[in-house]
Amino acid sequence: MELIVARGREDLVKARRGGTVALVPTMGALHEGHRSLIRQARVRADQVVVSIFVNPLQFGPNEDFSRYPRTFDADLEVCREEEVDVVFHPAAEDMYGPDRQVSVSAGEMGRVVEGAYRPGHFDGVLTVVLKLFNLVQPDLAVFGQKDAQQLALIRRMVADLDLPIEILGAPTVREPDGLALSSRNRYLSADDRRVALALSRALRAGAAQLTPAEIRETARAVLDEAGPELDVDYLALVDPATFAEVSDDYEGLAVLAVAAKVGTTRLIDNVTVTLNPA
């Protein structure tokens, strides 16, 4: 079946053909990580919709909205190869009218960890995701674990607002050298990339420990070894449901998350760890 490109609500209504619908929200610049999301959706659904929309609401005033990669023709080819049924590619003015006033608040959970460094970011994420849910009306949606706090907040929104949508999390896809795939990786120079590998090294080293104190200390030491070229925003060990920092006597699953700037490029990464196992 030919790939359908929908630009607005009416196009989406015409494209819907019944059965289970899966949505894969993206901002484009599709890579192997996105392909993994699409493949997971393909297994579960009769119809797969991929949205491609660079959402201005989730970028701060000093962030990289204007230079965020926009590769629509290449993205369409990826979608064809992965047998996507519909690509939803709205214009910003169609998503957000000139008199928009109402947004979704991410609450306290949206103001910690990543949210502390990007005020309002998660409000913008949840607002666009809710709009996509309302427009596409999927039965399920697939998001990457690489954006772990985003995934947790979307699950929280679905639960708090009683949305009839199943949220699936897909594992982080990595380059052979361990760097988590990201659309922003293309901005890294060869030297930047070597520095950036400290993120995944730190997470692996931390995950090999058993207690919160050991995990934090070990991961921080690896980051410190990278030197001043790695400008670390945070290293956080948090509850995966709330993203609150865990105590030293915490037991169970936790997320070890890191964010840092390498050159002019800001990267995030995380791993799930088990603390104080019996």
Side-chain angles (χ1 to χ4, degrees), residues 134-171:
N134 287 332
L135 289 164
V136 177
Q137 298 185 2
D139 299 287
L140 58 102
V142 187
F143 297 85
Q145 179 64 34
K146 176 177 167 289
D147 296 291
Q149 189 170 1
Q150 171 181 284
L151 176 59
L153 277 162
I154 290 167
R155 285 178 167 147
R156 183 78 263 170
M157 178 178 72
V158 166
D160 287 353
L161 300 185
D162 298 310
L163 303 177
I165 301 169
E166 181 183 0
I167 303 300
L168 303 180

Side-chain angles (χ1 to χ4, degrees), residues 101-265:
Q101 298 184 39
V102 177
S103 297
V104 178
S105 170
E108 180 59 30
M109 188 174 166
R111 293 189 286 270
V112 299
V113 192
E114 183 73 2
Y117 287 84
R118 303 183 69 187
H121 168 70
F122 288 118
D123 293 352
V125 169
L126 295 187
T127 297
V128 75
V129 168
L130 182 58
K131 286 180 72 68
L132 289 170
F133 286 172
N134 287 332
L135 289 164
V136 177
Q137 298 185 2
D139 299 287
L140 58 102
V142 187
F143 297 85
Q145 179 64 34
K146 176 177 167 289
D147 296 291
Q149 189 170 1
Q150 171 181 284
L151 176 59
L153 277 162
I154 290 167
R155 285 178 167 147
R156 183 78 263 170
M157 178 178 72
V158 166
D160 287 353
L161 300 185
D162 298 310
L163 303 177
I165 301 169
E166 181 183 0
I167 303 300
L168 303 180
T172 300
V173 177
R174 298 183 179 276
E175 303 274 13
D177 59 10
L179 187 67
L181 283 176
S182 169
S183 300
R184 292 181 170 92
N185 287 355
R186 67 189 65 201
Y187 298 138
L188 297 172
S189 68
D191 287 340
D192 288 342
R193 188 181 180 90
R194 283 191 288 272
V195 173
L197 291 176
L199 299 183
S200 57
R201 284 201 307 271
L203 296 179
R204 288 196 303 272
Q209 310 307 310
L210 297 180
T211 69
E214 292 169 341
I215 289 170
R216 292 186 179 101
E217 180 180 354
T218 302
R220 173 58 68 177
V222 175
L223 296 176
D224 289 345
E225 288 172 2
E229 290 80 9
L230 187 70
D231 184 8
V232 178
D233 280 346
Y234 61 80
L235 175 73
L237 186 62
V238 299
D239 184 315
T242 66
F243 266 68
E245 283 277 354
V246 302
S247 62
D248 286 344
D249 59 354
Y250 179 92
E251 296 188 9
L253 293 179
V255 172
L256 180 63
V258 65
K261 182 174 284 188
V262 184
T264 61
T265 303

Side-chain angles (χ1 to χ4, degrees), residues 22-26 34 37-38 41 48-52 140-143:
L23 171 65
V24 181
T26 82
H34 296 109
L37 306 183
I38 295 169
V48 175
V49 179
V50 172
S51 64
I52 297 176
L140 58 102
V142 187
F143 297 85

Side-chain angles (χ1 to χ4, degrees), residues 37-110:
L37 306 183
I38 295 169
R39 290 166 187 165
Q40 185 165 333
R42 181 81 277 163
V43 170
R44 290 289 309 275
D46 301 302
Q47 188 174 39
V48 175
V49 179
V50 172
S51 64
I52 297 176
F53 177 65
V54 183
N55 176 34
L57 293 192
Q58 67 191 70
F59 289 82
N62 298 315
E63 295 183 346
D64 60 349
F65 175 73
S66 61
R67 75 164 188 150
Y68 192 87
R70 291 161 171 85
T71 58
F72 186 64
D73 290 342
D75 294 342
L76 284 183
E77 187 57 34
V78 170
C79 289
R80 290 190 183 97
E81 291 171 359
E82 297 299 332
E83 299 182 347
V84 170
D85 299 287
V86 181
V87 168
F88 181 43
H89 184 53
E93 56 267 27
D94 294 328
M95 285 294 283
Y96 304 116
D99 57 349
R100 181 189 63 84
Q101 298 184 39
V102 177
S103 297
V104 178
S105 170
E108 180 59 30
M109 188 174 166

